[in-house]
Amino acid sequence: WTSCDTLYSNIVTINIKPDPTISISANKTTLCDGDNVILKQVVIGGSGNCAFHWQINKFSSATSNPNWVNVTSSDSLIYYNSAFKSDSTFHFRARVICENSSCNLATSDAISIRFKAKLELQTNFSDSTICAGESLILTANGCAADLLWSDGSTTASITIQPTVTKQITVSCKSECGEVNKTFNITVKPGVAS
């Protein structure tokens, strides 16, 4: 052997398989009461048997937020909007964890879904008869959307002093629909005693 001799080792081939990537989609991003959202995932890459986990976070869409909770391990996720008292935004993501390596996992970007409140409307009044010159305070509550009175007011309470018989309507309206109540206020001529 001399310093000019060259030695070669045997050849080793290493196959590098890419880590998985996962993306998710939703059929809608705003849900009215009673609706549901269907989320689906697409995984590319990864090796070995892979497990899927859908997660929900009711506070933040940030990856590092500690409030991510597993909800199911199915290929798709159906989540219902049922009787929320106020509008809420929940965040969803999916994770894939495959066998063989601790690197063989991926987390999707989050999708934010807005859950609209159930449209409700309670009032403190009914069909009434009053004397001319009397006033009524009408109140509506429970509306988690846009409130509108027939006189154009948008406050929870209005004061009326009708001089003739009239109908009063109040509505609670959002992109999910509208609920309203209409009442007849009968005005008798004369002055209240």
Side-chain angles (χ1 to χ4, degrees):
W1 184 81
T2 68
S3 61
C4 295
D5 290 338
T6 303
L7 299 175
Y8 296 96
S9 71
N10 59 320
I11 297 173
V12 175
T13 302
I14 298 175
N15 292 320
I16 299 176
K17 293 187 177 181
D19 286 339
T21 59
I22 185 167
S23 60
I24 61 173
S25 61
N27 66 330
K28 55 183 80 171
T29 55
T30 299
L31 269 70
C32 297
D33 181 64
D35 285 350
N36 63 54
V37 60
I38 301 171
L39 295 120
K40 296 183 178 180
Q41 48 79 18
V42 174
V43 177
I44 299 172
S47 61
N49 293 324
C50 299
F52 305 102
H53 298 285
W54 287 98
Q55 296 183 320
I56 186 172
N57 190 323
K58 297 182 179 181
F59 305 98
S60 171
S61 62
T63 302
S64 60
N65 188 280
N67 295 301
W68 288 102
V69 177
N70 288 342
V71 287
T72 185
S73 58
S74 60
D75 287 346
S76 61
L77 171 64
I78 299 175
Y79 204 87
Y80 291 89
N81 179 0
S82 88
F84 286 101
K85 296 296 184 186
S86 60
D87 289 358
S88 302
T89 300
F90 294 167
H91 313 281
F92 296 87
R93 72 181 186 184
R95 300 190 78 206
V96 58
I97 301 171
C98 302
E99 293 176 343
N100 301 336
S101 167
S102 61
C103 297
N104 210 6
L105 57 88
T107 303
S108 72
D109 290 335
I111 289 181
S112 298
I113 307 293
R114 189 170 179 213
F115 292 80
K116 300 293 289 181
K118 182 176 182 179
L119 290 177
E120 295 182 322
L121 187 61
Q122 292 92 38
T123 57
N124 72 330
F125 59 96
S126 58
D127 290 351
S128 301
T129 299
I130 63 172
C131 296
E134 284 185 311
S135 62
L136 287 174
I137 298 173
L138 309 177
T139 301
N141 53 48
C143 177
D146 296 324
L147 190 69
L148 180 65
W149 296 88
S150 51
D151 68 353
S153 300
T154 57
T155 56
S157 294
I158 63 170
T159 301
I160 62 168
Q161 192 173 22
T163 56
V164 295
T165 296
K166 66 188 303 183
Q167 279 190 333
I168 301 292
T169 300
V170 61
S171 64
C172 178
K173 184 176 182 180
S174 77
E175 60 202 86
C176 293
E178 179 177 357
V179 292
N180 54 58
K181 293 188 177 185
T182 299
F183 300 94
N184 297 305
I185 307 299
T186 302
V187 179
K188 287 187 171 182
V191 179
S193 56

